[in-house]
Every structure is written in structure tokens, then in C-alpha cells.
Amino acid sequence: MRYSKLLIPTLREDPTEAEVVSHRLMLRAGMIRKVTAGIYNFLPVGFRVLSKVAKIVREEMEHAGAQEVLLPALQPAELWQETGRWKQYGKELMRLKDRHDREFCLGPTHEEVITDLVRREVKSYRQLPINLYQIQTKFRDEIRPRFGLMRGREFIMKDAYSFDMDPEGAKESYRKMYDAYHKIFSRLGLRFRAVEADTGLIGGSSSHEFMVLAQTGEEGIASCTKCDYAANVERAELKTGGRGPGIGEIKPLEQVKTPGKKSVEEVSSFLKITPQQLVKTLLFSADGRPVAVLVRGDHQVNEIKVKRLLGVSELVLADAGQVEAWSGGPSGFSGPVGLRNIEIIGDLSVEIMPEAIVGANEKDTHYLHASPGRDYKVDRFADLRNAIAGDLCPRCGAPMTIDRGIEVGHVFLLGTKYSETMKATFLDPKGEEQFFVMGCYGIGVSRIIAAAIEQNHDEKGIIWPMPIAPFAIHIIPVQDQSERVMITSELIYGSLVRAGIDTLIEDRSERAGVKFNDADLLGIPYQVVLGEKNLHEGVVEMKNRRTGEKQKIEVEKVIDYLIELVQGPRTQPAS
Ligand code: ATP
Ligand code: MG
């Protein structure tokens, strides 16, 4: 394609609205433009990338036996009322009314619609298993739409739904999708990990998230340094053994003044100890009743694990008034010693601490040498925290590392959750009615673009992995007044296009510096630079955008060279 004919409104300056690099670069490279919070236009370059991602996703879904459908974005409230999600989904659901005052929503996901379709059209076990997918716009009224395509209110998702006759079949369908996802993210040219994900209160069923590794990722991933175990830091099961850190011998409980020191950092630096020698006490309202959760100073409470242990659905950090009422002291100084009428639960790593520093439920006061069993009672110990670097792998016991990632895909074994509430059944071989056993599988098609850029960029711009690059080759004639330069450029361009290679030719009359800067910003994998001087010597210069390496190639050989570079070596006919 010709640069001069394409709408590529690049920006020289960083747009102020963008906080993360992918958002900034997508705006600067003229790929997207904001319409309103969380809603974007895709411009030609952005749309080309989106289409390439979608094509790979589509090919692998078909290959795995899934069939493409297109379901409506506009969905009647009745279906959502059947599953109870009309209420549960809350404010994230975009709701609207038609002219007759009937309620609708814009689909954030399609379990209801697909289950309704399948319960009406699939009647017999002979039609199973079946997997239906679509690539479509989804709507979620996110509290904080941000980071451009990363968290939009309108975005493109691939969602697939499998229906099986029994749990074993469903597991097999799940495994097929899990494998297909591996192929998809490998083919996209991204570094990723599949991690065990939390299934929330449903528990038990399988769920994996696919994470693109990037330092800027919102999610923490704990990975074993030895085996292939990887899990979301919130999900990783943690075991603890041995003896935890303490401050030496177990001495009698002692009060110390810690004026104005509330946070772990403040208290530990004031007392000249490490956060590992401290136990934090967090008070929560769990379905309305007070609960104290104890974790080591350097650990974070994992609310999902706490909820699961307590079997509650709502867990909210106590406000200042509740802390005062339940502990008798101000917030920032809570501790387990003397706490009454409150269930106290502790993390496993607290159990093995012989003694620790804790809050004294009194302003500006802490206790030294608080020892569980002697000075306070813990009702239950369990795994209640997020993983940190150095924690041991639950599978093989080797230390784990923590990486950051961006969730780009999610596979989920649903079981009969939707088929039961929506009474979706088929007839089994005995002629008996059974509920479909389901799975659902999402990929954030538009989020992948942002994730790819977070993982692949430098200070000059984007560095596209070849499979999703908007173009494979960028031809840059430097002196556009030179006949020789322009004729040779057009010749190479024409040949590449005929060979089916996505090629961009820079045919604007701009200064060389502008052309080079825009080329680096756009991030097309190979730049072919044509200038008078080089052509006089019979060569053109080729730059690899990722490595920055430049090499000179003879003009006569350059077309074959580029075709092979992009399409791989041509197989020789057998002679
Ligand atoms: P998140 O935790 O990031 O909100 P989710 O768990 O709500 O994601 P799913 O419901 O599993 O996401 O959706 C499937 C995929 O759709 C996600 O893996 C993600 O890649 C993508 N996705 C979800 N929400 C958004 C959004 N607001 N904008 C862009 N992509 C999204
Ligand atoms: Mg979400």
C-alpha cells in the first residue's frame, strides 16, 4: 500500500491522555483514536493488525473443530434473568430499553444466548460434542476503562462455548481449547504463559489464564524455576514448613511505644526490624461478621482464599469505626492479643513464627514477642496470602519466581452451571434427559494488540512480531526527486505485492528524518532504504527493526531475498 493514500496520522509528541506505552504508541502511530472513555476508532493500520490477530485465532479455532457463529450484541433481559445474572452482573452490564420499555443489555459475554440457542437446536447426544465460537464486539461498563485497548468499555473478543454429554467429554473439549490457545499465542509471536487461575467461589473446576509476559502487566504470575507449574499469585497454593523468622529467643510479652507508626514499613524501620518479624492484623467484615486475618508483614492477604475458607460471599475491609468497635483501638494498631468475640484466622507462615511484633489495639502501641498459643489464640491456620518470589512450588518444592503478565485469554470449565439454571438438556443414549456439560473460552482480540506492544517496543516505537505486523516490509525511498530511486523502489514494491507480501511504500515527499522516524514508530519488521549513493553502487540498505542491524543487499537480489525472508525458503522442485 502507498503511505500517501493511507490514513496514518502519526504524532510527534506523546499524547497526554496515555499512561502506558502501548496506548501511547498506538495513538502516536495513528492506529487508534479515542471516541470517548474506553471506546476507540480503529484506523487503517490498527485495523490491519486486528484483522491479522483475528485471522490466526480463527484458523486455530477451526483447526480445533470449533464452528464460527455470530450472536447478537443486543440481548433481551429475560435470558439474563433466567440465570440470575441480570442482578448479579451489576453496573458493568450496559442496560437499555426499547421503545416498548422492554429491557435489554449489550452483551459483555454470551453464555445465556448460546445456551438458549443450543437448548433449542441440539436435542440428542449424537450431536455432541459441539463447540461454537464468534469474534465480536463486547460491552462492559468497566469502573476504570484505561490504557487504551487494554481495558475498554467496547472491545473485540473471541468467545467459544463447548457442550458435552458428560464431564469427561467436557474435559477433553477443554484440553483441545487449551492446546489451541498455546498454538494461537505461539503463532502470534508472543512470549506467554498459561497459568492456573482462580475460579472464584465456584471452586473445583478447571480454569487457566493465558498471560502475555510484560513488566507492565497488571497480573502477578508465580512460576516454578524447576517444573512447569505456573499460577496467578492469587491462586498459587502455598505450603510452609520449618521455623519462621523471629526476633531471637522467646521472651515475655512486652509493650513498646510506636508514636504515629502505623504501616509495616514505618513500624519496622522505627523498631529496626524487618517486615518478616512482624505480623499484620487486618479486620474484615465477612458477610457482616467481624474476622481478624493475620499475615506476615511482607505478605499480602488474599481475599479469595479468605472468602473460601470462611465460606462467605462478601469480604470488606473494616472501616475506622468498625475497627474501633471490634478491637477497642484505632486502625493501624490492631493485633490479636486480647481480641475478643472475633474469629481469628492466620496464614500458615504465621503459624511457624515462634513470636512476632503485633499491634496492641491501643494508640501508638505495639507488642514485642507475641507468641501464638501463649499470648493469643488463633482459631484456624490456612493458606491465606498471595505468593511472593522465593515461595516454594506446591508441586515440586523448588523456589518460584514472580513475573508480571497481561491476561489475554481465559479458558474455563463451567460444568452444568448454565445448563441447569436454563434447563438446557439433551437425550442421552438411554433416552434420558441430561444437562449439557459446558466450557467457555475467551480471547481478548483487541487487548492482544496492546499486550503485543507492551512486550515489543523500544524508545523509538513499536517492534511488531512478523505474524501480526500491519506490513512485513516498508520500502523507504530517501530522495523522492531521484528518478532512479523512485523507479527501483516501485519495481521492488510491485514485485513484493505480486508475491503476496504486505508491503508499504513510503511515497510522501517528506524529509528523510521524518520518514525514518515514522518508520521506526510504525515498527514494520524490515525497512528497505533506497538512496542515490547506494544505488550507484548497485545496493540497497535493509534494516531489521528489532535488532537495528543494517545490511547492504545487491539490487538484483533484493526481491528474492525479501520474499524468502518473509515467506521462508522456497522448496526446490525435485530434479
Ligand atoms: P479482567 O480480569 O482483565 O477484567 P476478565 O476476567 O473480566 O478480565 P473474561 O471475562 O475472561 O475477562 O474475558 C475474556 C478475555 O477478554 C480476557 O482474557 C481479556 O483478554 C479480555 N477482556 C476482558 N475485559 C476486557 C476489557 N475491558 N477490555 C479489553 N479486553 C478485555
Ligand atoms: Mg473483567
Side-chain angles (χ1 to χ4, degrees):
M1 291 203 143
R2 295 178 183 279
Y3 202 127
S4 66
K5 301 281 188 304
L6 271 175
L7 180 60
I8 316 180
T10 56
L11 306 173
R12 212 157 298 165
E13 305 296 326
D14 277 340
T16 47
E17 66 182 271
E19 295 162 65
V20 294
V21 73
S22 56
H23 187 194
R24 203 156 60 224
L25 289 175
M26 266 187 276
L27 288 168
R28 281 194 55 208
M31 291 173 64
I32 56 165
R33 285 295 182 263
K34 179 168 154 179
V35 177
T36 187
I39 300 178
Y40 289 85
N41 292 314
F42 280 91
L43 277 60
V45 173
F47 187 64
R48 287 184 75 88
V49 178
L50 185 75
S51 307
K52 292 204 169 182
V53 174
K55 182 166 181 279
I56 292 176
V57 170
R58 209 170 250 130
E59 284 171 7
E60 292 303 331
M61 293 307 290
E62 299 282 332
H63 191 246
Q67 309 171 38
E68 187 163 10
V69 293
L70 185 58
L71 308 174
L74 194 56
Q75 309 179 2
E78 289 77 27
L79 288 179
W80 287 73
Q81 281 153 353
E82 277 191 56
T83 60
R85 288 210 294 182
W86 186 253
K87 278 214 182 93
Q88 275 165 25
Y89 219 95
K91 291 197 168 163
E92 229 175 78
L93 194 62
M94 289 272 192
R95 297 164 208 254
L96 60 158
K97 281 185 182 161
D98 71 2
R99 64 172 73 206
H100 307 293
D101 243 18
R102 283 195 285 258
E103 290 186 297
F104 287 81
C105 67
L106 292 173
T109 175
H110 279 71
E111 282 82 5
E112 281 78 0
V113 171
I114 196 90
T115 307
D116 176 52
L117 173 71
V118 169
R119 75 177 162 187
R120 286 187 287 142
E121 306 305 330
V122 179
K123 305 279 187 213
S124 157
Y125 74 96
R126 288 194 192 85
Q127 295 165 280
L128 299 176
I130 188 169
N131 185 327
L132 300 169
Y133 82 97
Q134 61 173 344
I135 294 180
Q136 194 218 29
T137 303
K138 294 279 189 275
F139 300 86
R140 292 183 184 182
D141 199 359
E142 301 271 357
I143 310 181
R144 278 197 302 158
R146 61 200 171 131
F147 307 156
L149 298 189
M150 202 75 89
R151 189 168 294 284
R153 295 198 295 165
E154 172 173 330
F155 59 98
I156 313 283
M157 198 203 283
K158 184 286 298 176
D159 46 330
Y161 305 88
S162 64
F163 296 81
D164 276 272
M165 55 188 286
D166 51 32
E168 291 70 46
K171 267 191 197 140
E172 180 57 19
S173 296
Y174 180 88
R175 194 193 53 77
K176 274 196 189 139
M177 284 294 109
Y178 180 86
D179 291 345
Y181 275 38
H182 271 271
K183 288 203 191 115
I184 289 169
F185 295 112
S186 308
R187 278 189 65 191
L188 291 170
L190 301 172
R191 277 177 287 118
F192 69 98
R193 287 212 82 153
V195 308
E196 288 185 11
D198 201 280
T199 47
L201 279 179
I202 301 167
S205 326
S206 298
S207 168
H208 284 88
E209 286 167 353
F210 284 75
M211 302 277 193
V212 163
L213 300 176
Q215 279 148 8
T216 46
E218 279 186 325
E219 314 281 337
I221 308 164
S223 319
C224 180
T225 46
K226 218 164 140 203
C227 73
D228 64 0
Y229 178 83
N232 193 309
V233 285
E234 293 173 358
R235 154 82 195 209
E237 294 155 34
L238 303 172
K239 298 197 176 88
T240 321
R243 190 184 151 99
I247 29 177
E249 56 191 296
I250 308 177
K251 292 185 185 159
L253 195 66
E254 181 187 336
Q255 263 199 4
V256 280
K257 283 289 158 199
T258 48
K261 312 292 178 208
K262 291 183 178 178
S263 70
V264 169
E265 291 69 35
E266 286 167 351
V267 175
S268 47
S269 76
F270 180 76
L271 295 176
K272 300 196 173 49
I273 51 139
T274 63
Q276 283 92 327
Q277 294 172 308
L278 208 138
V279 165
K280 293 195 270 209
T281 305
L282 288 122
L283 299 179
F284 286 95
S285 162
D287 281 355
R289 71 185 153 100
V291 172
V293 183
L294 311 184
V295 291
R296 211 168 76 184
D298 58 328
H299 290 157
Q300 297 299 326
V301 173
N302 179 320
E303 298 190 7
I304 298 169
K305 290 180 181 176
V306 173
K307 274 188 191 173
R308 202 181 295 136
L309 179 77
L310 298 173
V312 299
S313 57
E314 198 188 59
L315 191 74
V316 192
L317 210 52
D319 61 31
Q322 289 169 318
V323 172
E324 194 81 56
W326 296 340
S327 74
S331 56
F333 298 96
S334 300
V337 180
L339 264 193
R340 256 172 278 284
N341 306 323
I342 294 186
E343 182 176 5
I344 303 180
I345 57 178
D347 180 61
L348 295 175
S349 50
V350 172
E351 188 175 18
I352 56 164
M353 288 170 79
E355 39 90 58
I357 290 148
V358 299
N361 300 319
E362 194 182 314
K363 192 172 185 302
D364 297 340
T365 316
H366 279 78
Y367 281 121
L368 303 180
H369 314 298
S371 184
R374 185 190 67 182
D375 303 312
Y376 63 92
K377 196 173 126 287
V378 175
D379 296 295
R380 284 188 274 181
F381 283 106
D383 169 19
L384 297 177
R385 66 180 174 94
N386 293 342
I388 60 170
D391 275 330
L392 305 181
C393 170
R395 229 177 256 163
C396 78
M400 298 195 287
T401 53
I402 306 288
D403 294 302
R404 303 221 59 85
I406 299 163
E407 183 196 320
V408 287
H410 196 174
V411 290
F412 211 109
L413 209 51
L414 290 169
T416 51
K417 181 175 171 201
Y418 291 92
S419 50
E420 282 191 38
T421 48
M422 295 186 73
K423 301 190 180 52
T425 59
F426 62 95
L427 293 179
D428 72 7
K430 290 186 202 138
E432 282 167 18
E433 262 189 291
Q434 302 288 350
F435 292 117
F436 293 103
V437 187
M438 293 171 59
C440 69
Y441 318 92
I443 286 187
V445 177
S446 47
R447 185 185 281 182
I448 283 175
I449 307 175
I453 297 175
E454 290 293 329
Q455 193 182 70
N456 301 280
H457 68 270
D458 63 14
E459 65 296 339
K460 293 190 188 123
I462 303 166
I463 305 175
W464 288 112
M466 183 59 96
I468 56 171
F471 297 94
I473 309 267
H474 192 166
I475 299 175
I476 309 170
V478 183
Q479 295 100 350
D480 40 66
Q481 302 86 350
S482 155
E483 207 169 308
R484 170 147 59 175
V485 168
M486 289 319 287
I487 288 174
T488 319
S489 300
E490 290 290 343
L491 193 85
I492 300 174
Y493 173 68
S495 305
L496 293 178
V497 170
R498 274 193 300 281
I501 292 179
D502 286 331
T503 310
L504 180 68
I505 181 163
E506 168 64 278
D507 60 343
R508 298 177 300 170
S509 40
E510 286 284 357
R511 283 183 295 110
V514 172
K515 292 179 180 173
F516 291 143
N517 285 343
D518 279 344
D520 282 348
L521 177 61
L522 282 176
I524 295 164
Y526 299 107
Q527 299 170 9
V528 180
V529 182
L530 293 94
E532 270 288 355
K533 194 163 157 285
N534 276 338
L535 282 184
H536 190 69
E537 291 164 15
V539 294
V540 298
E541 189 181 81
M542 202 192 67
K543 179 172 136 180
N544 179 324
R545 173 67 183 91
R546 187 174 293 273
T547 61
E549 255 173 283
K550 290 176 180 169
Q551 70 185 104
K552 289 189 175 162
I553 300 167
E554 287 172 50
V555 178
E556 290 91 77
K557 294 192 180 149
V558 73
I559 294 169
D560 285 343
Y561 179 85
L562 291 173
I563 293 175
E564 190 168 323
L565 190 68
V566 177
Q567 296 180 340
R570 269 180 261 183
T571 41
Q572 298 287 320
S575 55

